[in-house]
Amino acid sequence: MFEHILYEEIKDRIGLLKINREKALNALNLQTVSELNKFINEQLPGENLRVLIITGSGSKAFVAGADIKQMKEMSKEEFHNYCNVSHDNFNKIQNLKIPVIAAVNGYALGGGCELALACDIRIASDNVKIGFPETKLGLFPCWGGTKRSSMLMGIGKVKELIFTGDMISAEEALKIGLVDKVVKQDELMDEVLSMAEKISNNGPLAIAYAKETINKGQEMNHSGALDLELKMGVECFDSLDRLEGMTAYLEKRTAEFIGK
Ligand code: CAA
């Protein structure tokens, strides 16, 4: 059905989405962003899915950015449409009810770094080169990168990365909070899967509520965010999953959550 993205449920309730343009280092051309849009709109979150993993095909790149060959020929209107679709994709990934883990495997540049930033958690392999090279092309990150990176990192680092266009190593990205964990390249998928499995065994409703509360809280003032947390926490308490989780604990058995 799709040419530039691949999707499979690799384990029970865990989906793996691959950007699949290995020869172009998985650069997000127009076809890829529209396939992503169709996939996200029509197939996510998926009935039983608890965690989505996003990665790039091959061992060299997660995503090397927007497609420079195509962008070079675009009119302003065409570029606007291209950006709109990518914004829609990344906003929907950010707001999915299930957690999304980026398995960052190699170059994560420009729009690729922005895709990783739209995910909830970023696990990087030790060969990662990540950054925003757009200013070297006379552009700046405009697929959510200025804002989402500023939510994770100090504003000075954001500006340094964007103004210099430097690619940084996985270790440096870890130090500044741009990625959350670094593992050896050949251990990346095991590490990501082990985290995904842990998450998939926990209460899906609680996780969805926590994700929404954390995300919305970022855009609120302190007391507004705490009010939201209180409201969402009480709503979550009033669920079958909460009852099951506590009953299972007291009965010393594994909880069977149903997401209600
Ligand atoms: N767009 C289109 N094609 C790309 C690409 C991109 N972003 N990145 C890599 N490719 C293509 C290369 O053109 C090359 O194709 P050909 O074989 O047909 O020439 C192929 O992928 C392999 O790449 P290289 O031969 O360059 O591989 P390398 O190992 O020598 O270098 C690299 C790897 C350092 C990542 C280099 O490819 C590179 O600098 N790529 C561009 C990265 C970039 O600037 N990304 C930001 C794009 S702008 C953006 O994303 C805008 C936005 O936020 C809105």
Side-chain angles (χ1 to χ4, degrees):
M1 181 177 180
F2 297 116
E3 189 184 349
H4 294 326
I5 60 173
L6 296 173
Y7 177 75
E8 63 172 318
E9 201 168 314
I10 38 167
K11 288 229 161 158
D12 191 27
R13 301 175 301 187
I14 299 173
L16 177 68
L17 173 66
K18 265 191 190 178
I19 308 299
N20 187 38
R21 282 189 80 212
E22 197 177 338
K23 280 194 181 142
L25 303 187
N26 303 316
L28 298 173
N29 66 355
L30 271 166
Q31 186 181 335
T32 313
V33 298
S34 32
E35 286 185 7
L36 260 179
N37 200 256
K38 193 168 163 57
F39 173 76
I40 292 168
N41 285 327
E42 294 177 7
Q43 292 187 42
L44 289 182
E47 218 162 272
N48 295 314
L49 205 62
R50 297 268 177 98
V51 181
L52 177 69
I53 298 166
I54 300 182
T55 195
S57 285
S59 56
K60 200 171 161 187
F62 175 69
V63 165
D67 191 294
I68 301 169
K69 284 174 205 157
Q70 282 189 342
M71 273 188 302
K72 158 118 191 343
E73 305 303 327
M74 282 180 194
S75 66
K76 185 178 174 187
E77 287 69 32
E78 286 167 337
F79 182 68
H80 193 169
N81 286 338
Y82 185 41
C83 293
N84 262 339
V85 180
S86 285
H87 268 260
D88 187 50
N89 286 341
F90 295 179
N91 290 341
K92 283 182 174 147
I93 288 170
Q94 179 178 313
N95 294 320
L96 267 187
K97 289 197 182 305
I98 56 170
V100 185
I101 306 175
V104 188
N105 54 322
Y107 290 112
L109 302 172
C113 183
E114 291 172 302
L115 169 60
L117 283 167
C119 300
D120 296 300
I121 298 163
R122 284 150 292 283
I123 304 189
S125 55
D126 54 6
N127 67 330
V128 153
K129 294 277 178 209
I130 188 165
F132 296 112
E134 285 95 335
T135 53
K136 292 179 189 287
L137 302 166
L139 192 63
F140 73 93
C142 57
W143 287 1
T146 62
K147 181 63 182 165
R148 290 198 177 96
S149 61
S150 303
M151 311 286 264
L152 292 179
M153 294 153 36
I155 204 92
K157 268 290 163 203
V158 171
K159 288 178 178 169
E160 180 188 327
L161 276 185
I162 292 177
F163 297 169
T164 63
D166 281 348
M167 293 183 216
I168 60 171
S169 67
E171 279 306 328
E172 202 179 330
L174 181 66
K175 247 187 262 162
I176 61 177
L178 185 52
V179 301
D180 304 298
K181 202 171 213 179
V182 178
V183 296
K184 291 202 180 91
Q185 194 181 350
D186 58 2
E187 290 168 8
L188 180 65
M189 279 322 287
D190 284 348
E191 182 67 30
V192 172
L193 268 175
S194 134
M195 185 185 282
E197 273 177 339
K198 225 184 261 179
I199 294 172
S200 73
N201 290 328
N202 292 338
L205 197 72
I207 289 171
Y209 277 30
K211 177 168 169 172
E212 188 180 338
T213 305
I214 296 164
N215 283 355
K216 285 192 174 154
Q218 295 280 304
E219 291 169 12
M220 293 175 156
N221 64 23
H222 188 76
S223 62
L226 291 181
D227 286 348
L228 177 71
E229 188 190 275
L230 177 62
K231 177 175 162 285
M232 297 289 281
V234 172
E235 239 173 78
C236 189
F237 181 87
D238 192 24
S239 67
L240 294 174
D241 272 1
R242 190 278 306 171
L243 198 57
E244 165 63 7
M246 294 185 181
T247 306
Y249 171 78
L250 294 172
E251 291 175 357
K252 301 186 191 306
R253 61 173 172 83
T254 305
E256 298 210 0
F257 294 112
I258 54 168
K260 289 182 184 159

